[in-house]
Amino acid sequence: MIEVVASMARGPVFLAGEVLECLITFTNPISHLSTSASSEMLAWASAQIHCQFHASESRVALPAQGTKQDVQAESDTVLIPSRGERGQCVLDTPPKILFCDLRLDPGESKTYSYSEVVPTDGPPSFRGQAVKYVYKLTIGCQRVNSPIKLLRVPFRVLVLHGMPEPPFPQDEEVAPSNPFLEEEEGSRRDTRPLERALDMLMITTSRRCPYMFNITNVRGKVAKFCIFKTVYRLGEDIIGTFTFSEGDIPCLQYSVSLQSEEEVQEQYQRHPGQAVSVTAHARHLESCLHTASSHFSLPVPLNVTPGFTTDIVTLRWRLHFEFVTAREPVEAPVVLQNQSEVTVWTGAEHVDVDTFSWDLPIKVLPTNPTLASYVSQFTGTNSINI
């Protein structure tokens, strides 16, 4: 028996365009039955990345495809990474040979390093109501005259559009430098793509410019709303403020929800005019009668998928507001300046109300993949016995 262990040391989350590195260890464990003749042999091993796509039959109508035989003969030496998987393989990298004719004595182990650039032309990892995109690193191993064994290590891919291009000119004369630090020659020109992408991401999401909105209904102005930006990274807090003192219509209650919209492209919709799938990820609810101002803070979860578009589906993000307003003025409690006794104010038992909603589109971008690894459902490690 040979034990195969694959481990992604940096974590299970990567930006498209950066290098995925994985250490793969093959071990012939010692047992009480081991003898000098207990050496184990493997004919070959290779590895490659692939993305598996699966669509809901009730929501997505895909073109008919020919049936494929998902059976591999014992003598077949071709690695098919998606063998036995549900759905379609929409992206894969060329396989890389780890070794040929490996012999391991009892207690001996050998480690091989696999590295590959995560493709930039693929979709991000996504598990929606209509479609799913799942990335896996598949290691195939085979003994002589035996079927191929597959070890799969799932991981998450975040896509930041424009990552392969440097966000800034790489001119030595204009690039910022620190005279107190020694820099290796050409270090600025050899900046890693991940660092360039994170710099671009930080600049894009750090820009602040107040956006002011007047919230009104058919009866008049309800409040003024202010938000300082509309582009956020995963893990950031969305903060907004309401000023009800500038409104003419009493607001009894408001709620704000962070929602994602998953829309199947028209040509792939199962039913004409199919509704968009809406998922709520965070919600703030507050009663605000006689409140001059209020604010909310909604966290963008680290485990959600930033907005993206493919040929089949589009994912967008928005803030969904709901307001409950009174049709008639509601008198506020009056407290006399020299009043010595405690006064209890009781709200009206019946109030005629109106309700209305409003959607504010926002953009959600990726974050540092190391940060996203802390909440990932994947471990970046898997093993198999051959």
PDB file of all heavy atoms in Angstrom, residues 302-327:
ATOM      1  N   LEU A 302     -17.044  36.749   3.939  1.00  0.00           N
ATOM      2  CA  LEU A 302     -15.844  36.335   3.217  1.00  0.00           C
ATOM      3  C   LEU A 302     -16.076  35.130   2.312  1.00  0.00           C
ATOM      4  O   LEU A 302     -15.299  34.873   1.396  1.00  0.00           O
ATOM      5  CB  LEU A 302     -14.720  36.013   4.210  1.00  0.00           C
ATOM      6  CG  LEU A 302     -13.988  37.193   4.840  1.00  0.00           C
ATOM      7  CD1 LEU A 302     -13.133  36.724   6.004  1.00  0.00           C
ATOM      8  CD2 LEU A 302     -13.128  37.902   3.802  1.00  0.00           C
ATOM      9  N   ASN A 303     -17.146  34.389   2.585  1.00  0.00           N
ATOM     10  CA  ASN A 303     -17.358  33.140   1.841  1.00  0.00           C
ATOM     11  C   ASN A 303     -18.315  33.282   0.665  1.00  0.00           C
ATOM     12  O   ASN A 303     -18.684  32.282   0.047  1.00  0.00           O
ATOM     13  CB  ASN A 303     -17.859  32.049   2.787  1.00  0.00           C
ATOM     14  CG  ASN A 303     -19.151  32.431   3.473  1.00  0.00           C
ATOM     15  OD1 ASN A 303     -19.614  33.563   3.383  1.00  0.00           O
ATOM     16  ND2 ASN A 303     -19.761  31.490   4.179  1.00  0.00           N
ATOM     17  N   VAL A 304     -18.746  34.511   0.334  1.00  0.00           N
ATOM     18  CA  VAL A 304     -19.635  34.693  -0.814  1.00  0.00           C
ATOM     19  C   VAL A 304     -18.812  34.935  -2.075  1.00  0.00           C
ATOM     20  O   VAL A 304     -17.597  35.152  -2.014  1.00  0.00           O
ATOM     21  CB  VAL A 304     -20.617  35.860  -0.578  1.00  0.00           C
ATOM     22  CG1 VAL A 304     -21.479  35.587   0.645  1.00  0.00           C
ATOM     23  CG2 VAL A 304     -19.873  37.181  -0.432  1.00  0.00           C
ATOM     24  N   THR A 305     -19.472  34.909  -3.222  1.00  0.00           N
ATOM     25  CA  THR A 305     -18.803  35.085  -4.506  1.00  0.00           C
ATOM     26  C   THR A 305     -18.992  36.504  -5.015  1.00  0.00           C
ATOM     27  O   THR A 305     -20.129  36.991  -5.070  1.00  0.00           O
ATOM     28  CB  THR A 305     -19.360  34.093  -5.546  1.00  0.00           C
ATOM     29  OG1 THR A 305     -19.184  32.756  -5.066  1.00  0.00           O
ATOM     30  CG2 THR A 305     -18.653  34.246  -6.876  1.00  0.00           C
ATOM     31  N   PRO A 306     -17.911  37.200  -5.374  1.00  0.00           N
ATOM     32  CA  PRO A 306     -18.055  38.536  -5.973  1.00  0.00           C
ATOM     33  C   PRO A 306     -18.828  38.477  -7.284  1.00  0.00           C
ATOM     34  O   PRO A 306     -19.000  37.406  -7.878  1.00  0.00           O
ATOM     35  CB  PRO A 306     -16.600  38.986  -6.196  1.00  0.00           C
ATOM     36  CG  PRO A 306     -15.795  38.146  -5.250  1.00  0.00           C
ATOM     37  CD  PRO A 306     -16.511  36.832  -5.155  1.00  0.00           C
ATOM     38  N   GLY A 307     -19.293  39.626  -7.739  1.00  0.00           N
ATOM     39  CA  GLY A 307     -20.065  39.666  -8.971  1.00  0.00           C
ATOM     40  C   GLY A 307     -19.256  39.195 -10.172  1.00  0.00           C
ATOM     41  O   GLY A 307     -18.051  39.440 -10.268  1.00  0.00           O
ATOM     42  N   PHE A 308     -19.910  38.514 -11.103  1.00  0.00           N
ATOM     43  CA  PHE A 308     -19.250  38.025 -12.310  1.00  0.00           C
ATOM     44  C   PHE A 308     -20.299  37.746 -13.373  1.00  0.00           C
ATOM     45  O   PHE A 308     -21.505  37.708 -13.100  1.00  0.00           O
ATOM     46  CB  PHE A 308     -18.443  36.750 -12.029  1.00  0.00           C
ATOM     47  CG  PHE A 308     -19.280  35.525 -11.779  1.00  0.00           C
ATOM     48  CD1 PHE A 308     -19.576  34.634 -12.801  1.00  0.00           C
ATOM     49  CD2 PHE A 308     -19.793  35.261 -10.505  1.00  0.00           C
ATOM     50  CE1 PHE A 308     -20.353  33.509 -12.576  1.00  0.00           C
ATOM     51  CE2 PHE A 308     -20.574  34.143 -10.273  1.00  0.00           C
ATOM     52  CZ  PHE A 308     -20.846  33.264 -11.307  1.00  0.00           C
ATOM     53  N   THR A 309     -19.826  37.522 -14.609  1.00  0.00           N
ATOM     54  CA  THR A 309     -20.697  37.198 -15.728  1.00  0.00           C
ATOM     55  C   THR A 309     -20.045  36.114 -16.575  1.00  0.00           C
ATOM     56  O   THR A 309     -18.847  36.193 -16.882  1.00  0.00           O
ATOM     57  CB  THR A 309     -20.958  38.440 -16.604  1.00  0.00           C
ATOM     58  OG1 THR A 309     -21.646  39.431 -15.830  1.00  0.00           O
ATOM     59  CG2 THR A 309     -21.822  38.079 -17.805  1.00  0.00           C
ATOM     60  N   THR A 310     -20.823  35.089 -16.932  1.00  0.00           N
ATOM     61  CA  THR A 310     -20.390  34.078 -17.897  1.00  0.00           C
ATOM     62  C   THR A 310     -21.446  34.014 -19.001  1.00  0.00           C
ATOM     63  O   THR A 310     -22.423  34.757 -18.994  1.00  0.00           O
ATOM     64  CB  THR A 310     -20.237  32.700 -17.237  1.00  0.00           C
ATOM     65  OG1 THR A 310     -21.535  32.229 -16.817  1.00  0.00           O
ATOM     66  CG2 THR A 310     -19.319  32.757 -16.028  1.00  0.00           C
ATOM     67  N   ASP A 311     -21.238  33.096 -19.951  1.00  0.00           N
ATOM     68  CA  ASP A 311     -22.207  32.936 -21.035  1.00  0.00           C
ATOM     69  C   ASP A 311     -23.551  32.448 -20.526  1.00  0.00           C
ATOM     70  O   ASP A 311     -24.576  32.625 -21.190  1.00  0.00           O
ATOM     71  CB  ASP A 311     -21.678  31.946 -22.076  1.00  0.00           C
ATOM     72  CG  ASP A 311     -20.456  32.472 -22.798  1.00  0.00           C
ATOM     73  OD1 ASP A 311     -20.264  33.702 -22.795  1.00  0.00           O
ATOM     74  OD2 ASP A 311     -19.683  31.655 -23.332  1.00  0.00           O
ATOM     75  N   ILE A 312     -23.568  31.834 -19.331  1.00  0.00           N
ATOM     76  CA  ILE A 312     -24.792  31.197 -18.838  1.00  0.00           C
ATOM     77  C   ILE A 312     -25.449  31.997 -17.722  1.00  0.00           C
ATOM     78  O   ILE A 312     -26.678  32.059 -17.635  1.00  0.00           O
ATOM     79  CB  ILE A 312     -24.480  29.761 -18.366  1.00  0.00           C
ATOM     80  CG1 ILE A 312     -23.984  28.928 -19.548  1.00  0.00           C
ATOM     81  CG2 ILE A 312     -25.701  29.110 -17.726  1.00  0.00           C
ATOM     82  CD1 ILE A 312     -23.577  27.525 -19.189  1.00  0.00           C
ATOM     83  N   VAL A 313     -24.671  32.634 -16.858  1.00  0.00           N
ATOM     84  CA  VAL A 313     -25.256  33.268 -15.680  1.00  0.00           C
ATOM     85  C   VAL A 313     -24.543  34.572 -15.365  1.00  0.00           C
ATOM     86  O   VAL A 313     -23.367  34.760 -15.716  1.00  0.00           O
ATOM     87  CB  VAL A 313     -25.187  32.299 -14.465  1.00  0.00           C
ATOM     88  CG1 VAL A 313     -23.751  32.154 -13.984  1.00  0.00           C
ATOM     89  CG2 VAL A 313     -26.094  32.748 -13.335  1.00  0.00           C
ATOM     90  N   THR A 314     -25.262  35.474 -14.699  1.00  0.00           N
ATOM     91  CA  THR A 314     -24.705  36.736 -14.198  1.00  0.00           C
ATOM     92  C   THR A 314     -25.039  36.863 -12.721  1.00  0.00           C
ATOM     93  O   THR A 314     -26.184  36.622 -12.315  1.00  0.00           O
ATOM     94  CB  THR A 314     -25.283  37.942 -14.962  1.00  0.00           C
ATOM     95  OG1 THR A 314     -24.863  37.893 -16.326  1.00  0.00           O
ATOM     96  CG2 THR A 314     -24.803  39.254 -14.349  1.00  0.00           C
ATOM     97  N   LEU A 315     -24.044  37.233 -11.918  1.00  0.00           N
ATOM     98  CA  LEU A 315     -24.255  37.465 -10.489  1.00  0.00           C
ATOM     99  C   LEU A 315     -24.027  38.936 -10.197  1.00  0.00           C
ATOM    100  O   LEU A 315     -22.955  39.480 -10.495  1.00  0.00           O
ATOM    101  CB  LEU A 315     -23.305  36.602  -9.655  1.00  0.00           C
ATOM    102  CG  LEU A 315     -23.512  36.700  -8.135  1.00  0.00           C
ATOM    103  CD1 LEU A 315     -24.799  35.999  -7.718  1.00  0.00           C
ATOM    104  CD2 LEU A 315     -22.322  36.118  -7.371  1.00  0.00           C
ATOM    105  N   ARG A 316     -25.034  39.585  -9.621  1.00  0.00           N
ATOM    106  CA  ARG A 316     -24.957  41.001  -9.250  1.00  0.00           C
ATOM    107  C   ARG A 316     -25.241  41.154  -7.755  1.00  0.00           C
ATOM    108  O   ARG A 316     -25.809  40.265  -7.126  1.00  0.00           O
ATOM    109  CB  ARG A 316     -25.961  41.833 -10.057  1.00  0.00           C
ATOM    110  CG  ARG A 316     -25.672  41.898 -11.544  1.00  0.00           C
ATOM    111  CD  ARG A 316     -26.674  42.821 -12.235  1.00  0.00           C
ATOM    112  NE  ARG A 316     -28.021  42.258 -12.140  1.00  0.00           N
ATOM    113  CZ  ARG A 316     -28.583  41.517 -13.084  1.00  0.00           C
ATOM    114  NH1 ARG A 316     -27.908  41.232 -14.190  1.00  0.00           N
ATOM    115  NH2 ARG A 316     -29.809  41.045 -12.927  1.00  0.00           N
ATOM    116  N   TRP A 317     -24.873  42.334  -7.220  1.00  0.00           N
ATOM    117  CA  TRP A 317     -25.091  42.624  -5.807  1.00  0.00           C
ATOM    118  C   TRP A 317     -25.878  43.923  -5.650  1.00  0.00           C
ATOM    119  O   TRP A 317     -25.772  44.832  -6.494  1.00  0.00           O
ATOM    120  CB  TRP A 317     -23.757  42.726  -5.067  1.00  0.00           C
ATOM    121  CG  TRP A 317     -23.099  41.395  -4.882  1.00  0.00           C
ATOM    122  CD1 TRP A 317     -22.287  40.745  -5.764  1.00  0.00           C
ATOM    123  CD2 TRP A 317     -23.237  40.528  -3.749  1.00  0.00           C
ATOM    124  NE1 TRP A 317     -21.898  39.532  -5.270  1.00  0.00           N
ATOM    125  CE2 TRP A 317     -22.456  39.366  -4.023  1.00  0.00           C
ATOM    126  CE3 TRP A 317     -23.908  40.614  -2.538  1.00  0.00           C
ATOM    127  CZ2 TRP A 317     -22.358  38.318  -3.129  1.00  0.00           C
ATOM    128  CZ3 TRP A 317     -23.810  39.569  -1.643  1.00  0.00           C
ATOM    129  CH2 TRP A 317     -23.044  38.433  -1.942  1.00  0.00           C
ATOM    130  N   ARG A 318     -26.660  43.997  -4.575  1.00  0.00           N
ATOM    131  CA  ARG A 318     -27.454  45.191  -4.317  1.00  0.00           C
ATOM    132  C   ARG A 318     -27.753  45.318  -2.829  1.00  0.00           C
ATOM    133  O   ARG A 318     -27.660  44.339  -2.072  1.00  0.00           O
ATOM    134  CB  ARG A 318     -28.769  45.136  -5.093  1.00  0.00           C
ATOM    135  CG  ARG A 318     -29.760  44.097  -4.543  1.00  0.00           C
ATOM    136  CD  ARG A 318     -31.015  43.998  -5.376  1.00  0.00           C
ATOM    137  NE  ARG A 318     -32.013  43.119  -4.758  1.00  0.00           N
ATOM    138  CZ  ARG A 318     -33.164  42.771  -5.312  1.00  0.00           C
ATOM    139  NH1 ARG A 318     -33.469  43.221  -6.529  1.00  0.00           N
ATOM    140  NH2 ARG A 318     -34.023  41.976  -4.679  1.00  0.00           N
ATOM    141  N   LEU A 319     -28.125  46.530  -2.439  1.00  0.00           N
ATOM    142  CA  LEU A 319     -28.713  46.783  -1.124  1.00  0.00           C
ATOM    143  C   LEU A 319     -30.211  46.958  -1.327  1.00  0.00           C
ATOM    144  O   LEU A 319     -30.641  47.785  -2.147  1.00  0.00           O
ATOM    145  CB  LEU A 319     -28.113  48.038  -0.483  1.00  0.00           C
ATOM    146  CG  LEU A 319     -26.647  47.956  -0.060  1.00  0.00           C
ATOM    147  CD1 LEU A 319     -26.182  49.313   0.480  1.00  0.00           C
ATOM    148  CD2 LEU A 319     -26.440  46.871   0.991  1.00  0.00           C
ATOM    149  N   HIS A 320     -30.996  46.184  -0.599  1.00  0.00           N
ATOM    150  CA  HIS A 320     -32.453  46.237  -0.719  1.00  0.00           C
ATOM    151  C   HIS A 320     -33.026  46.925   0.520  1.00  0.00           C
ATOM    152  O   HIS A 320     -32.827  46.463   1.653  1.00  0.00           O
ATOM    153  CB  HIS A 320     -33.023  44.823  -0.850  1.00  0.00           C
ATOM    154  CG  HIS A 320     -34.515  44.774  -0.946  1.00  0.00           C
ATOM    155  ND1 HIS A 320     -35.206  45.188  -2.066  1.00  0.00           N
ATOM    156  CD2 HIS A 320     -35.461  44.384  -0.042  1.00  0.00           C
ATOM    157  CE1 HIS A 320     -36.497  45.039  -1.868  1.00  0.00           C
ATOM    158  NE2 HIS A 320     -36.678  44.553  -0.643  1.00  0.00           N
ATOM    159  N   PHE A 321     -33.724  48.052   0.296  1.00  0.00           N
ATOM    160  CA  PHE A 321     -34.298  48.848   1.383  1.00  0.00           C
ATOM    161  C   PHE A 321     -35.811  48.661   1.411  1.00  0.00           C
ATOM    162  O   PHE A 321     -36.456  48.625   0.354  1.00  0.00           O
ATOM    163  CB  PHE A 321     -33.998  50.337   1.188  1.00  0.00           C
ATOM    164  CG  PHE A 321     -32.530  50.682   1.188  1.00  0.00           C
ATOM    165  CD1 PHE A 321     -31.772  50.527   0.035  1.00  0.00           C
ATOM    166  CD2 PHE A 321     -31.916  51.167   2.333  1.00  0.00           C
ATOM    167  CE1 PHE A 321     -30.432  50.846   0.021  1.00  0.00           C
ATOM    168  CE2 PHE A 321     -30.576  51.494   2.325  1.00  0.00           C
ATOM    169  CZ  PHE A 321     -29.826  51.328   1.162  1.00  0.00           C
ATOM    170  N   GLU A 322     -36.351  48.573   2.620  1.00  0.00           N
ATOM    171  CA  GLU A 322     -37.807  48.548   2.806  1.00  0.00           C
ATOM    172  C   GLU A 322     -38.165  49.556   3.894  1.00  0.00           C
ATOM    173  O   GLU A 322     -37.525  49.600   4.953  1.00  0.00           O
ATOM    174  CB  GLU A 322     -38.287  47.151   3.187  1.00  0.00           C
ATOM    175  CG  GLU A 322     -38.083  46.110   2.095  1.00  0.00           C
ATOM    176  CD  GLU A 322     -38.607  44.733   2.491  1.00  0.00           C
ATOM    177  OE1 GLU A 322     -39.054  44.590   3.658  1.00  0.00           O
ATOM    178  OE2 GLU A 322     -38.585  43.822   1.642  1.00  0.00           O
ATOM    179  N   PHE A 323     -39.192  50.365   3.618  1.00  0.00           N
ATOM    180  CA  PHE A 323     -39.597  51.415   4.547  1.00  0.00           C
ATOM    181  C   PHE A 323     -41.081  51.255   4.882  1.00  0.00           C
ATOM    182  O   PHE A 323     -41.896  50.907   4.020  1.00  0.00           O
ATOM    183  CB  PHE A 323     -39.377  52.808   3.940  1.00  0.00           C
ATOM    184  CG  PHE A 323     -37.943  53.090   3.583  1.00  0.00           C
ATOM    185  CD1 PHE A 323     -37.458  52.795   2.318  1.00  0.00           C
ATOM    186  CD2 PHE A 323     -37.085  53.655   4.514  1.00  0.00           C
ATOM    187  CE1 PHE A 323     -36.137  53.051   1.985  1.00  0.00           C
ATOM    188  CE2 PHE A 323     -35.767  53.921   4.192  1.00  0.00           C
ATOM    189  CZ  PHE A 323     -35.290  53.616   2.930  1.00  0.00           C
ATOM    190  N   VAL A 324     -41.406  51.520   6.141  1.00  0.00           N
ATOM    191  CA  VAL A 324     -42.793  51.573   6.610  1.00  0.00           C
ATOM    192  C   VAL A 324     -43.042  52.981   7.108  1.00  0.00           C
ATOM    193  O   VAL A 324     -42.400  53.447   8.068  1.00  0.00           O
ATOM    194  CB  VAL A 324     -43.058  50.556   7.737  1.00  0.00           C
ATOM    195  CG1 VAL A 324     -44.517  50.646   8.201  1.00  0.00           C
ATOM    196  CG2 VAL A 324     -42.730  49.139   7.273  1.00  0.00           C
ATOM    197  N   THR A 325     -43.958  53.719   6.447  1.00  0.00           N
ATOM    198  CA  THR A 325     -44.218  55.122   6.789  1.00  0.00           C
ATOM    199  C   THR A 325     -45.677  55.315   7.201  1.00  0.00           C
ATOM    200  O   THR A 325     -46.564  54.547   6.797  1.00  0.00           O
ATOM    201  CB  THR A 325     -43.912  56.034   5.591  1.00  0.00           C
ATOM    202  OG1 THR A 325     -44.725  55.637   4.470  1.00  0.00           O
ATOM    203  CG2 THR A 325     -42.437  55.926   5.200  1.00  0.00           C
ATOM    204  N   ALA A 326     -45.912  56.340   8.009  1.00  0.00           N
ATOM    205  CA  ALA A 326     -47.271  56.659   8.468  1.00  0.00           C
ATOM    206  C   ALA A 326     -47.947  57.582   7.466  1.00  0.00           C
ATOM    207  O   ALA A 326     -47.313  58.466   6.880  1.00  0.00           O
ATOM    208  CB  ALA A 326     -47.219  57.312   9.844  1.00  0.00           C
ATOM    209  N   ARG A 327     -49.239  57.383   7.269  1.00  0.00           N
ATOM    210  CA  ARG A 327     -49.996  58.240   6.351  1.00  0.00           C
ATOM    211  C   ARG A 327     -50.335  59.580   6.982  1.00  0.00           C
ATOM    212  O   ARG A 327     -50.525  60.568   6.280  1.00  0.00           O
ATOM    213  CB  ARG A 327     -51.269  57.533   5.910  1.00  0.00           C
ATOM    214  CG  ARG A 327     -51.026  56.283   5.083  1.00  0.00           C
ATOM    215  CD  ARG A 327     -52.328  55.648   4.642  1.00  0.00           C
ATOM    216  NE  ARG A 327     -52.073  54.453   3.824  1.00  0.00           N
ATOM    217  CZ  ARG A 327     -53.029  53.681   3.338  1.00  0.00           C
ATOM    218  NH1 ARG A 327     -54.322  53.970   3.608  1.00  0.00           N
ATOM    219  NH2 ARG A 327     -52.714  52.619   2.594  1.00  0.00           N
TER     220      ARG A 327
END
